[in-house]
Amino acid sequence: AANEVAVAAFLEDRIGFLDIPVVIEDTLSALPASEPRSLEEVEAVDGEARSLAQSCLARSRVSA
């Protein structure tokens, strides 16, 4: 999910290519490590990851 958000931002010329792993790393480090036990949990984690990746894009660490 974080990769998809970051690549979309890159394709929209909102971030540079080298910013993609920064978004992914920041997103993964903010999520708790857990193993989803249902499709609903997978969907919830996916949504949370997308939200965190969007937040990362808004922060100054990623060049806009």
Side-chain angles (χ1 to χ4, degrees):
N3 183 64
E4 291 176 6
V5 170
V7 170
F10 168 72
L11 293 174
E12 294 168 357
D13 222 13
R14 293 173 36 215
I15 63 171
F17 181 76
L18 296 177
D19 292 322
I20 293 172
V22 173
V23 172
I24 296 168
E25 180 182 2
D26 286 356
T27 301
L28 290 176
S29 67
L31 287 171
S34 65
E35 187 172 330
R37 299 174 196 257
S38 68
L39 182 57
E40 290 78 17
E41 288 181 15
V42 170
E43 291 172 338
V45 171
D46 181 84
E48 186 176 359
R50 288 177 192 280
S51 177
L52 287 168
Q54 290 292 346
S55 295
C56 179
L57 291 173
R59 290 197 315 255
S60 62
R61 182 170 176 204
V62 175
S63 60

